[in-house]
């Protein structure tokens, strides 16, 4: 039962948040004050002084009833001429503030009550395994023997839900007994039409449905069931919306991830084609890969490489460097095992070599003229889609090559004529 | 049943008839010793009547007042008693009296009128008298009838009005209720239950013996009142001389007006004080707990005045009484507020305890201290049928127990359900009977507006209609489907009723009344009971079935006081018959009729934890039914008690009426299953049945937290095929345990039959052989 001003409840609410509690506290104060002040109001009441004692005792021990005067007493009690509307009744509460006070607690209680083990899900959103698990759970529930009382109620409900006069013609009344047909036959002979009401004048409120027995198994007050149903509805609705939102986000995320991956792969492919085309055009560029071995004058500097595929070279170099490093470390380990002392010299050398290598590179990079480098950096920062656009566009304009068609056209005109356009979707 | 005892000590006389329903409870002696029974003039001897100058349906208020002023009673021509004039004075203060002229005007003008008078207006007692002075039924050799939904009301109002007219009850003014007729050939005003008028209509289709019919408390919409309204609407066309007044206590009388072709309406305000209504700011999780706390708070903080709390049933009321008493004791120890006394009030409460509610509240404990307070915790008995003086505070949790029938499960049960707005209003009104009061509703105003129905469902929508359909058939209404119901019942309910009557053999397959049906309609009983009673001579046990029928028609005969449950159960066991509760009931009745018990019945009942009231009324019901049986040439027979079949015959007769209420034990042996509707049920804890037979008949299906069958007796499945082959057509049963068991029984019967035939043949052969050898 609800104990509006019970201390336990108050602590419970306190946990819910300061604002709720503050308001709660206020209304509590007014309430006590009101009850106390109201006592002298009833003049003949000689126990005025003592009443607050009992009230405060009540306050601590149990629920204290509070009432609001009916707003439409005239309507509620038509014949009773209401004499004094404003006379303050001892039990009267001033404001609706305390009326709202319980809400937070209700929600709290309600959240505890709700067991959402099977959140509402759209069937198409669940995976096969989930569906299978659901099915298994349902089967289990069906096969599990119900508690006798539960079984009773379920059967009762089922019977109450099954009309015994079927409106449609494909009657299955035989299940319900042959005399039903006899009885129905008698009624039909009197002019009864299934689906219609009896009587001469069917008013608006006449129903063909029999009145349902109200099976009340608790002592919930009037309005409680409705209020809880509304809350439950609200909460499931909110939960579903939240779930929807999450599902939405996830699928979006997955899609973008896929497309990005796809485009990145295409960028890589396009860069490779671009490299081939460039090298075919200027074969000396290929030497960039052998720079470390051939210390010749013709070795192209990194900055001379087309920024569109410079990434590839850098990545390849990084990979090669790393492989070299790993190889040297492995070798060094072997030397450590063979030579205990003398090896340290070669180690140092190797390390120096590696460092030198990287130093060289830095130097080289440092030599790059800023313009070219800026172009490259801008390119690296681009999104894959933009990169792709840039690379393919370069190939089209420079080599009349269409990445999507996978071939080189004779001329720009040929390309414009025969290639549907620079995008995957056109191909 | 209960109300009549609740009210024995109402101070009606000094209180200006504040509760006319209770008048019959007053001492008979006080009434007539004072009036001189002499000087009786026979009105038929041609002497001048005191009604000279009165023209039927043209009288005036002045004429009537002069006649009322005496000195001779125009109806009896005896001089009025002194008491008469005291009452007359008070009567003329009643609100209806102010509108007597208006009433007469409307009454003269129309055949059918609707009269609305709120509680306390005096309509039930005064309007029939206004009619008497204008309609003068004695001149036409007819009567004026006024129907009441409750037996108690009919009895007590008749008593009160007899006093007001200064005549002897049962002479000019009488009453007629089921199993009791207190009228004579002098009777000109007859109070009766609506059910009785309906029964009369079965043998007097035009209700020719009445010149005016008043349907009182029509707003209660009882089954009989609803049917009567449909009938009267038709009779009014056939009998233009018949005046009809529909009396209602609530303002929704437009519905009646519309139903009766826009009949004129006359409304009289009630005499009540204003009642302030309070709602809780939020819904309650436990209305009982909330009610208890409200009682305590009212006691602690409100001005003196008694409290009336409405709860749903005996158990709940007793529970609340205990809790409030405990809390009140504590309050008394810790503070010095006044004493709090708690009285329960419900139907099955013994009369002497019911009377206590009329005790005044206790005074202050110390001189000058706060006065004590009385609290009455009641079912909805206190909502309409009786008034307790001094009630200032009403607590209304918003629930009551209501009868509901559902044709889909064929169960009629009392269930806790929210009350209607009209009911809530009626409850609130109880706080304003003596002075301005307050009503505390344990729900929000929002819930009041949205959750409660405007009106309670009329009884016709909540009842099993098999009796009603039988009555309508007897009344000659062939087209039940288009009968002018004010609120038509669900078609399924009608179908179930027809079905039940068809199985019982009361209606043939074309829906015509059979001889059995005609006979059954003669008994004021449920068709199943009637058929059982009618067929009982075939089983040589009509005496016993007659007793049993009577016992099943009265409230529970067993008393089980809270403080002596064990002793009561032990005592009940001494009457136990191992084959079931019906036979146990018979044992009780036979013991009650023994000379030992009859020597001092009330002591004997007290010692044996039995209800004297129930047993006595069973006795009187038995007498009435016996008369009807004799009238219809039904033999009253018994199997000799020594016969082994004595109890078997009774059980077979029982089965022949109750074959539609059979349950079979479920395969797991833990519960029973009703055979046709396949509902899981448990034997009610009150049963004496121990060995729990496989098949049982039951008297009642009770829907509570669990489904129970109450009053059960073991039967043999073979009887079902013998006694009700149409109902037990195995093909119509759903596949399952019940059907399989029935099929097994059939097989067994078949084998037994074949074996018997073989044996007979063998015997015959043997005989013939022996003859030849």
């Amino acid at each position: 039962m609800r104990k509006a001003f019970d201390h336990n409840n108050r602590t419970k609410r306190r946990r819910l948040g300061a604002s709720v509690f503050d308001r709660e506290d206020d209304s509590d104060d007014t309430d006590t004050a009101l009850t106390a002040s109201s006592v002298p109001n009833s003049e003949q009441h000689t126990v005025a002084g003592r009443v607050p004692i009992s009230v405060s005792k009540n306050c601590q021990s149990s629920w204290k009833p509070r009432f609001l005067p009916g707003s439409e007493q005239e309507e509620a009690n038509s014949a009773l001429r209401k004499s004094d509307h404003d006379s303050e009744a001892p039990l009267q509460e001033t404001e609706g503030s305390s009326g709202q006070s319980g809400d937070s607690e209700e929600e709290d209680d309600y959240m505890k009550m709700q067991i959402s083990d099977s959140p509402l899900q759209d069937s198409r959103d669940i995976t096969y395994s989930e569906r299978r698990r659901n099915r298994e759970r349902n089967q289990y529930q069906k096969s599990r023997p119900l508690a006798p009382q539960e079984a009773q109620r379920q059967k009762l409900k089922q019977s109450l839900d099954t009309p015994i006069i079927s409106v449609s013609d494909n009657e299955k009344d035989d299940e319900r007994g042959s005399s039903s047909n006899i009885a129905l036959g008698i009624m039909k002979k009197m002019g009864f039409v299934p689906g219609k009401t009896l009587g001469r004048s069917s008013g608006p409120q006449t129903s063909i449905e029999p009145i349902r027995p109200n099976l009340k198994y608790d002592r919930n007050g009037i309005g409680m069931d409705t209020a809880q149903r509304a809350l439950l509805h609200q909460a499931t609705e909110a939960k579903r919306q939240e779930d929807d939102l999450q599902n939405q986000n996830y699928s979006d995320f997955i899609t973008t991830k896929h497309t990005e991956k796809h485009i990145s792969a295409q960028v890589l492919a396009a860069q490779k084609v671009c490299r081939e085309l460039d090298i075919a055009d200027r074969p000396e560029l290929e030497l960039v890969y052998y720079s470390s071995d051939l210390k010749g004058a013709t070795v192209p500097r990194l900055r001379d490489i087309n920024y569109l595929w410079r990434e590839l070279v850098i990545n390849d170099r990084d990979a090669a460097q790393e492989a070299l490093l790993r190889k040297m470390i492995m070798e060094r380990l072997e030397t450590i095992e063979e030579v205990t002392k003398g090896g340290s010299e070669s180690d140092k050398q190797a390390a120096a070599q590696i460092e030198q290598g990287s130093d060289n590179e830095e130097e080289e990079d440092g030599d790059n003229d800023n313009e070219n480098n800026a172009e490259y950096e801008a390119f690296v920062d681009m999104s894959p889609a933009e990169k792709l656009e840039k690379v393919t566009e370069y190939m089209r304009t420079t080599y009349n090559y269409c990445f999507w068609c996978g071939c080189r056209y004779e001329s720009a005109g040929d390309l414009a004529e025969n290639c549907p356009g620079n995008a995957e979707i056109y191909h | 049943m209960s109300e009549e005892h609740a009210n024995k000590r109402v101070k009606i006389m000094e209180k200006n008839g504040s509760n006319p329903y209770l008048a019959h409870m007053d001492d008979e002696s006080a009434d007539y010793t004072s009036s001189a029974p002499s000087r009786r003039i026979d009105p038929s001897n041609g002497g001048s009547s005191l009604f000279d100058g009165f023209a039927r349906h043209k009288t005036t208020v002045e004429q009537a007042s002069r006649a009322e002023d005496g000195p001779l009673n125009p109806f009896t021509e005896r001089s009025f008693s002194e008491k008469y004039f005291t009452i007359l004075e008070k009567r003329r203060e009643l609100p209806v009296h102010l509108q007597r002229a208006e009433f007469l005007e409307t009454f003269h003008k129309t055949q059918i009128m609707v009269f609305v008078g709120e509680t306390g207006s005096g309509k039930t007692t005064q309007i029939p008298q206004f009619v008497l002075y204008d309609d003068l039924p004695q001149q036409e050799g007819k009567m004026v009838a006024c129907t009441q939904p409750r037996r108690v009301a009919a009895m007590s109002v008749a008593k009160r009005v007899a006093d007001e007219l200064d005549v002897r009850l049962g002479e000019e003014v009488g009453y007629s209720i089921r199993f009791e007729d207190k009228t004579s050939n002098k009777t000109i005003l007859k109070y009766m239950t609506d059910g009785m008028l309906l029964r009369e209509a079965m043998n007097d289709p035009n209700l020719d013996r009445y010149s005016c019919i008043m349907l009182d408390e029509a707003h209660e919409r009882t089954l009989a009142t609803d049917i009567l309204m449909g009938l009267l609407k038709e009779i009014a066309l056939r009998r233009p001389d018949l005046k009809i007044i529909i009396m209602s206590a609530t303002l929704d009388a437009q519905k009646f007006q519309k139903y009766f072709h826009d009949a004129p309406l006359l409304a009289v305000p009630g005499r009540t004080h204003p009642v302030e209504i309070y709602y809780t700011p939020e819904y309650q999780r436990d209305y009982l707990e909330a009610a208890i706390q409200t009682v305590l708070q009212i006691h602690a903080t409100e001005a003196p005045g008694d409290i009336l709390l409405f709860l749903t049933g005996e158990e709940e009321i007793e529970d609340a009484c205990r809790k409030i008493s405990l809390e009140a004791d504590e309050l008394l120890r810790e503070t010095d507020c006044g004493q709090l006394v708690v009285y329960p009030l419900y139907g099955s409460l013994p009369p002497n305890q019911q009377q206590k509610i009329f005790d005044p509240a206790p005074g202050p404990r110390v001189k000058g201290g706060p006065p004590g307070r009385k609290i009455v915790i009641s079912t909805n008995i206190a909502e309409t049928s009786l008034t307790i003086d001094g009630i200032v505070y009403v607590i209304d949790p918003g629930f009551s127990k209501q009868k509901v029938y559902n044709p889909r499960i064929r169960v009629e049960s009392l269930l806790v359900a929210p009350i209607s707005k009209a009911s809530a209003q009626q409850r609130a009104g109880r706080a304003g009977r003596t002075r301005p009061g307050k009503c505390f509703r344990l729900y929000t105003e929002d819930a009041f507006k949205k959750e409660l129905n405007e009106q309670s469902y009329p009884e016709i929508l909540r009842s099993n209609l098999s009796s009603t359909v039988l009555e309508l058939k007897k009344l000659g209404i062939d087209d039940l489907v288009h009968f002018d119901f004010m609120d038509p019942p669900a078609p399924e309910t009608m179908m179930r009723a027809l079905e039940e009557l068809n199985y019982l053999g009361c209606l043939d397959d074309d829906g015509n009344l059979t001889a059995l049906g005609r006979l059954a309609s003669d008994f004021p009983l449920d068709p199943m009971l009637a058929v059982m009673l009618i067929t009982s001579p075939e089983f040589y046990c009509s005496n016993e079935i007659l007793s049993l029928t009577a016992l099943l028609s009265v409230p529970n005969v067993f008393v089980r006081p809270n403080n002596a449950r064990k002793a009561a159960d032990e005592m009940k066991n001494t009457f136990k018959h191992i084959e079931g509760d019906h036979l146990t009931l018979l044992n009780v009745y036979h013991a009650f009729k023994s000379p030992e018990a009859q020597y001092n019945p009330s002591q004997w009942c007290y010692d044996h934890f039995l209800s004297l009231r129930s047993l006595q009324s069973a006795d009187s019901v038995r007498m009435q039914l016996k008369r009807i049986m004799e009238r219809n040439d039904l033999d009253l027979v018994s199997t000799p008690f020594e016969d082994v079949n004595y109890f078997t015959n009774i059980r077979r007769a029982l089965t022949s009426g109750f074959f539609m209420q059979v349950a079979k034990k479920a395969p797991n042996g833990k519960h029973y299953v009703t055979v046709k509707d396949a509902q899981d049920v448990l034997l009610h804890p009150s049963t004496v049945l121990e060995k729990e037979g496989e098949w049982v008949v039951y008297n009642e299906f009770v829907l509570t937290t669990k489904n129970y069958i109450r009053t059960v007796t073991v039967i043999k499945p073979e009887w079902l095929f013998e006694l009700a082959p149409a109902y037990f057509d195995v093909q119509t049963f759903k596949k399952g345990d019940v059907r399989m068991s029935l099929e097994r029984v059939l097989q067994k019967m078949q084998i037994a039959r074949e074996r018997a035939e073989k044996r007979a043949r063998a015997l015959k052969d043997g005989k013939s052989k022996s003859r030849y050898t």
Side-chain angles (χ1 to χ4, degrees), chain A residues 25 27 46 72 76 87-88 94 96 150 166 168 173 176 224 237 242 250 289 310 312-313 325 330 363 371 389:
Chain A
D25 215 13
S27 79
T46 46
E72 291 163 69
S87 70
E88 202 181 331
T94 39
E150 220 177 306
S166 53
S168 56
D173 290 34
R176 285 275 188 160
M224 175 161 175
E237 198 59 23
E242 199 182 298
Y250 180 72
Y289 281 102
R310 202 183 295 165
L312 292 178
V313 183
L325 199 64
M330 292 306 282
E363 270 168 40
E371 197 198 325
E389 166 86 20

Side-chain angles (χ1 to χ4, degrees), chain B residues 186-407:
Chain B
K186 280 191 215 150
T187 302
I188 49 171
L189 172 57
K190 180 155 139 190
Y191 282 93
M192 64 207 303
T193 53
D194 43 13
M196 275 315 287
L197 186 60
L198 193 54
R199 302 225 120 240
E200 284 188 8
M202 295 197 325
N203 297 312
D204 178 10
N206 282 333
L207 293 169
D208 280 318
R209 70 183 85 168
Y210 301 104
S211 58
C212 175
I213 290 172
M214 283 164 267
L215 299 184
D216 196 7
E217 318 285 352
H219 61 277
E220 291 199 16
R221 302 291 310 279
T222 59
L223 186 47
T225 295
D226 266 21
I227 301 292
L228 276 174
M229 285 195 288
L231 281 181
L232 286 176
K233 205 173 163 180
E234 286 179 15
I235 293 173
L237 299 174
R238 299 198 293 267
R239 278 194 55 196
D241 61 309
L242 178 70
K243 294 264 186 190
I244 296 164
I245 305 174
I246 310 295
M247 300 205 278
S248 162
T250 49
L251 287 166
D252 73 312
Q254 287 88 343
K255 196 167 181 181
F256 296 114
Q257 273 188 288
K258 210 178 133 209
Y259 184 72
F260 286 105
H261 315 294
D262 296 315
L265 179 135
L266 182 63
V268 173
R271 196 168 51 184
T272 43
H273 300 274
V275 175
E276 280 180 87
I277 292 170
Y278 296 93
Y279 295 92
T280 54
E282 65 251 339
Y283 64 77
Q284 300 304 312
R285 276 169 196 275
D286 182 338
Y287 65 83
L288 182 63
E289 200 60 34
I292 292 168
Q293 295 304 326
T294 308
V295 167
L296 295 172
Q297 178 149 339
I298 290 173
H299 185 51
T301 60
E302 293 276 334
D306 297 336
I307 305 171
L308 174 60
L309 164 61
F310 286 101
L311 289 176
T312 61
E314 173 179 345
E315 207 177 311
E316 203 173 84
I317 289 172
E318 288 293 352
D319 193 19
C321 283
R322 250 191 322 273
K323 284 181 179 158
I324 290 175
S325 300
L326 281 175
E327 296 262 1
D329 287 349
E330 200 178 326
L331 209 63
L332 213 60
R333 272 198 302 279
E334 290 174 19
T335 69
D336 45 3
C337 57
Q339 206 185 331
L340 191 65
V341 284
V342 190
Y343 298 119
L345 175 62
Y346 47 82
S348 52
L349 198 69
N352 60 331
Q353 284 188 48
Q354 287 196 0
Q355 277 177 46
K356 284 189 189 157
I357 62 162
F358 297 108
D359 291 353
R365 279 189 298 164
V366 287
K367 218 174 170 191
R373 206 189 287 266
K374 170 172 83 178
I375 159 154
V376 178
I377 308 180
S378 168
T379 59
N380 49 357
I381 294 181
E383 189 177 305
T384 48
S385 34
L386 73 112
T387 302
I388 310 156
D389 289 331
I391 297 293
V392 177
Y393 306 100
V394 165
I395 302 168
D396 173 20
F399 291 101
S400 71
K401 265 194 188 161
Q402 290 156 29
K403 179 179 78 177
V404 182
Y405 172 75
N406 190 293

Side-chain angles (χ1 to χ4, degrees), chain A residues 258-289:
Chain A
H258 273 286
T259 29
E260 265 176 30
K261 221 171 169 181
H262 180 65
I263 292 172
S264 300
Q266 281 176 337
V267 170
L268 197 67
Q271 281 175 327
K272 280 179 182 164
V273 176
C274 187
R275 180 178 65 189
E276 263 169 54
L277 289 169
D278 274 351
I279 290 174
D281 202 31
R282 293 163 58 200
E284 77 275 5
L285 287 180
E286 201 182 354
L287 293 176
V288 79
Y289 281 102

Side-chain angles (χ1 to χ4, degrees), chain A residues 219-236:
Chain A
R219 277 174 173 163
N220 292 351
I222 285 182
M224 175 161 175
D225 294 346
T226 327
Q228 291 214 322
R229 224 175 297 133
L231 275 173
L232 189 74
H233 181 74
Q234 254 174 36
T236 42

